Amino acid sequence: MAHPSQLVLDFTQVKRGDVGLVGGKNASLGEMIGALEPKGILVPPGFATTSEAFRMFLAENSLDAAIAEHLERLADGKAALQTVGREVRDLILEGDWPDEIATAITARYRKLGEASGETDIPVAVRSSATAEDLPDASFAGQQETFLNVIGEAALLDACKRCYASLFTDRAISYRQIQGFEHDQVALSVGVQQMVRADTGGSGVMFSIDTESGFPDAVLINAAWGLGENVVQGAVDPDEYQVFKPFLDRKNLSPILEKRLGAKAIKMIHDRDGTPRNVPTSKAERQQFVLSDAEILVLARQAKIIEQHYGQPMDMEWARDGVTRTLFIVQARPETVQSRADIGTLKSYTVQDPGDVLLTGLSVGSAAVAGRVSIIEDASDIDRFIDGSVLVTGTTDPDWVPIMKRAAAIVTDHGGRTSHAAIVSRELGLPAIVGCGDATHILHDEQDVTVSCAGGEEGVVTAGLSRISVAEETLDALPETGTQVMLNLANPSAALRWWRLPIDGVGLARMEFVVNGAVRIHPMALAHFDQVTDPEARAQIEALTAGYRTMPEYFVDKLSRGLSRIAAFCYPKPVIVRMSDFKTNEYADLLGGRGFEPHEENPMLGFRGASRYYSDQYRDGFALECQAIARLRGEMGFDNVIVMIPFCRTPEEADRVLSVMADHGLTRGQNGLQVYVMCEIPANVLRAEAFAERFDGFSIGSNDLTQLTLGIDRDSDVLAPLFREDDPAVLAMIGMVIEKAHAVGAKVGFCGQAPSNDPDYARHLVGFGIDSISVTPDSFVQVLRNVSKAEHR
C-alpha cells in the first residue's frame, strides 16, 4: 500500500525534475512557486496527484490488462479509434476511488480552503501527463481541464474524468504519432485555486515570436473572462508584442504592437458555477484587455521564466477581476521555433496570385495551393479529403487527426496562440486564423492558394498559383567590407528576416507604414474640423476610437509600426525616411483630398522636404517628428537614423532641420543622425554644402536617373531609355561618393538596381560605396555579388 505522501503532493513539494512523478504541467507549477515567487512570479496555490496514485487506481480496479487488450485491438486494426477510446474511458469512469487516494485528495483540498479562509473553494482541475511538455512534443490540449470545480464530490469526479482523458481519441492518436508507448505514460491531476478571471481577463504568452522565431520578442494574447476561449481559438483576442532586451530599463515602454481583437464572447461562471460563454459588451470589444503597464509586467515575467528555464517558454496567465493581480497559471517549453534550424532560411513566392478572397493572421511563412474541404463540426471529419485545405470555424484537440493530413488550415476565429495556430506550427503547415467568415465565403472543392509569405497578414487567393521556394544556408554566406543592408516597407514582415546577416536597414519607408497602419492623412487628424466628407469623417472617428486625441492615434500607430523594423536588427542602424508620398498619393489617404493641391506632375511637385516647413503640411510633419521622437525616446530605439527625401537646396535643408528641432529632433542630440536622399542632381553638385548639414547620403537611383536623363520613370514610351547604368547616372554616383568622402560623410545606395543587376554592385563597390541596401529576397545574391566585386 502506498503511503499517502506518495499519492498527493503540494505544489511547494514539486520541482521541474519531477515530470515522471506529477507530469510536465504540475512539475513546472511547483518549480515556479519554489524558485520564481521571490522574483515576483505569482502562481495560484494547489496540489497534484502523483503517477503512483494513477497506477494504484488502475491496479485497484484491475484495469491494466483490460486497457492493454483494447489498445492491442486498435494496433492490430481490429477496432476503430473512436470505439477503443470510448470503451477505455468508460472503464476508468466506472472505477472506484481507493480510499487512500480519495482521502489524500480531499484532505489536501480542505487544507487549500483553510489557507484561503474559505470552505469548498473553486479550483481548476487540470490533467498533466508524465510525458507532456517535453522539448520535442507539446501534448497541447490532449487531456482535459475542468474549471470552477467546487466541493469534494465534484473534485473527485473531475479527477476521475482527467484520468479518463488520457485515452481521448486525440490523446491516443497523438501518442502514436510521437512514438510514445501508452502504458509508459501516466496521468497526474493538478488542482489549483481558481483565479477570478471570469470577471477579469486571461490569455496566452510566448517568450519568442511564434511565427519568425525572433528570440527578442514576447507575444501576448488576451481576452475577457476565462482563458479557455483563447487556447481553443473560439475568440479573436487582443495581441501585444514587446521587445525583450529593453524590459530591464524601467523608463522605457518597448511595446512594438497592440492589435485590438474582436473578443466577441467571454467565458464566465454561471449561477451554478459552471463555465459558459456570453457575448461581450460593445465597450469590452472596443477596449484593450490589458493596460500598457500590465503588458510590460507580463512581458517581464515571461523574460524571468525564460531565463530560469533556459529556453523559450509557452505560458498561460490570468488576471483577477477584483484585485487586478496577474497570475501565471501554466508554463511549458515552446516546442516549434526553439527547435527550428536557424542556419537555413526558406522563402516562398506566389507567382501571379488570383483575386484575394480572404485575409487573416498568418501562421508560419509558407504557401500552398490546394482544394478546399470545409468541415464545420468534428463529427464530420470523416468527410475530410487528405491533402486538401481544411477550412473550419475553429479547432480543438479532437481535430488533430485530420489536421496532420491537411495541406493548409484556414479558420474563422482564433489568434496566433489558438489551438489551430499551435498545432499548425508543430505540423509545419501554413495556416490563416481569424479570417471571420472563411466558412461562408469559400466552398468545398474550390481551388485556392493559401499564402503566409507576406508577413503578419495571410492571404487566400482564387485558383492554384505556382509557388517557388528558395532555400539558403546562412552560415555559408561571405563576409564583405561593404555593408549590405535591407530596404523594408512592411513592418509585419520585418521580424522574419532576423536571421539574415545584415548590417542594418538602409531604407525604411515611412509612407508605407502610414498607408498600411495609419490610413488617415495626418492633416485630417491635426485639423479634423476641416474634414467635410461625411463618410471620411465617420471612418476616421471609428479608427481613432479609444484614443485620447486624434493626433495621438497617428503618433502611436506610426511609432509602433516603425518599431518592428527598428527592433529586429537592434542595435544596428535603421534609416527611416520621412514621408515621401506625392500629392496624389497623400490625397488617397482618408480625409486627404481637402488638404492636397492638384498637380499635373506630382513627381516634380510638392513632395519631400518642401512639405515639411510649409504651412500646408507643417502640422502633419510635426506628428511624424513626434512619432520618431517617441520611437527613439520612450521606446528606446536610438538606432533609428532620420532621412530627408527630395531636398532641393542646402537652404531648404536648414529650414527642415529647424522644424525638426522644434519637435524634439535636433541633429546630434542624443546621438541623432540625419541623412539626406541623394536623388536630385543638385544633391551631387552641391554635395559639400549638403554634407555640412547631414551625416550621410543615400542614393535613390530611380529619381536620380529620372532627373539626370530627363525621363519620366513611369513613362512606358520612354522605358527603354530609362537606364540606371547610363554613364551619366554612374558619373553622378561616382561624383557624390568622392565629394562626400572628402568631407567625411557616408554614402549608401538604396535603389533597386543592385537587386536586379549583378554588374551594378560591381560599379558601386568600385566607386567605394559605404553600404548597399536591397530588398530581402535579393539580399543573398547581392551579398555574393558584392563579395565577388571586392575580391576583384
Side-chain angles (χ1 to χ4, degrees), residues 229-292:
N229 283 336
V230 178
V231 175
Q232 300 299 347
V235 68
D236 301 322
D238 292 344
E239 182 170 300
Y240 318 112
Q241 197 169 53
V242 185
F243 189 56
K244 207 188 302 176
F246 289 171
L247 286 170
D248 294 333
R249 296 161 63 179
K250 296 297 176 67
N251 61 320
L252 298 181
S253 180
I255 301 173
L256 306 178
E257 174 78 1
K258 288 175 65 178
R259 186 195 303 273
L260 190 68
K263 307 184 296 290
I265 57 173
K266 64 178 178 180
M267 186 175 286
I268 64 168
H269 297 148
D270 212 340
R271 289 180 181 177
D272 63 358
T274 58
R276 72 180 179 103
N277 276 318
V278 296
T280 49
S281 67
K282 187 175 182 180
E284 288 172 323
R285 293 194 293 273
Q286 293 177 346
Q287 181 183 348
F288 287 113
V289 173
L290 295 174
S291 67
D292 285 5

Side-chain angles (χ1 to χ4, degrees), residues 549-584:
T549 65
M550 288 187 175
E552 171 61 21
Y553 166 85
F554 183 93
V555 174
D556 180 67
K557 288 287 188 182
L558 182 56
S559 59
R560 291 198 202 281
L562 291 170
S563 73
R564 307 286 293 284
I565 299 174
F568 90 98
C569 64
Y570 186 86
K572 295 173 182 174
V574 171
I575 302 174
V576 175
R577 187 178 69 188
M578 305 303 275
S579 67
D580 192 27
F581 281 128
K582 318 308 179 285
T583 50
N584 57 320

Side-chain angles (χ1 to χ4, degrees), residues 547-756:
Y547 281 86
R548 184 173 52 83
T549 65
M550 288 187 175
E552 171 61 21
Y553 166 85
F554 183 93
V555 174
D556 180 67
K557 288 287 188 182
L558 182 56
S559 59
R560 291 198 202 281
L562 291 170
S563 73
R564 307 286 293 284
I565 299 174
F568 90 98
C569 64
Y570 186 86
K572 295 173 182 174
V574 171
I575 302 174
V576 175
R577 187 178 69 188
M578 305 303 275
S579 67
D580 192 27
F581 281 128
K582 318 308 179 285
T583 50
N584 57 320
E585 295 167 333
Y586 268 116
D588 287 338
L589 293 171
L590 273 173
R593 301 220 170 269
F595 296 98
E596 296 297 332
H598 172 74
E599 296 184 302
E600 292 299 328
N601 191 348
M603 196 79 74
L604 297 179
F606 187 45
R607 63 176 287 202
S610 62
R611 299 180 64 92
Y612 302 157
Y613 56 86
S614 166
D615 288 341
Q616 290 180 257
Y617 189 72
R618 182 190 293 265
D619 292 342
F621 184 63
L623 299 184
E624 295 183 23
C625 291
Q626 289 169 33
I628 296 294
R630 179 175 295 181
L631 179 65
R632 286 179 48 84
E634 292 175 33
M635 301 185 78
F637 293 103
D638 52 9
N639 60 327
V640 167
I641 296 169
V642 172
M643 184 156 66
I644 305 302
F646 225 77
C647 188
R648 294 172 169 93
T649 68
E651 294 74 26
E652 185 169 62
D654 290 334
R655 299 184 72 174
V656 171
L657 290 169
S658 176
V659 173
M660 288 175 59
D662 290 342
H663 298 292
L665 295 178
T666 301
R667 180 189 169 208
Q669 197 171 89
N670 300 319
L672 175 64
Q673 295 185 58
V674 184
Y675 281 31
V676 65
M677 288 290 293
C678 178
E679 50 196 342
I680 302 168
N683 301 141
V684 178
L685 298 172
R686 302 186 68 184
E688 295 90 348
F690 280 103
E692 290 176 6
R693 293 156 171 84
F694 296 103
D695 298 285
F697 297 81
S698 185
I699 298 168
S701 55
N702 278 344
D703 272 324
L704 188 60
T705 301
Q706 172 177 246
L707 297 173
T708 300
L709 299 179
I711 294 173
D712 180 350
R713 70 190 201 196
D714 291 335
S715 170
D716 293 333
V717 176
L718 299 177
L721 296 175
F722 189 89
R723 293 185 59 88
E724 291 166 280
D725 61 352
D726 184 277
V729 179
L730 293 176
M732 285 284 187
I733 293 171
M735 189 187 305
V736 75
I737 292 173
E738 183 179 355
K739 287 185 173 188
H741 283 179
V743 294
K746 296 178 181 178
V747 184
F749 188 99
C750 61
Q752 184 65 23
S755 303
N756 300 333

Side-chain angles (χ1 to χ4, degrees), residues 523-557:
M523 291 294 285
L525 293 166
H527 300 282
F528 183 65
D529 58 311
Q530 297 178 27
V531 179
T532 57
D533 179 5
E535 185 176 342
R537 287 181 67 88
Q539 287 182 271
I540 292 170
E541 287 176 329
L543 286 171
T544 58
Y547 281 86
R548 184 173 52 83
T549 65
M550 288 187 175
E552 171 61 21
Y553 166 85
F554 183 93
V555 174
D556 180 67
K557 288 287 188 182

Side-chain angles (χ1 to χ4, degrees), residues 29 67 348 410 453 599 644 723:
L29 289 170
I67 291 172
Y348 294 75
V410 179
E599 296 184 302
I644 305 302
R723 293 185 59 88

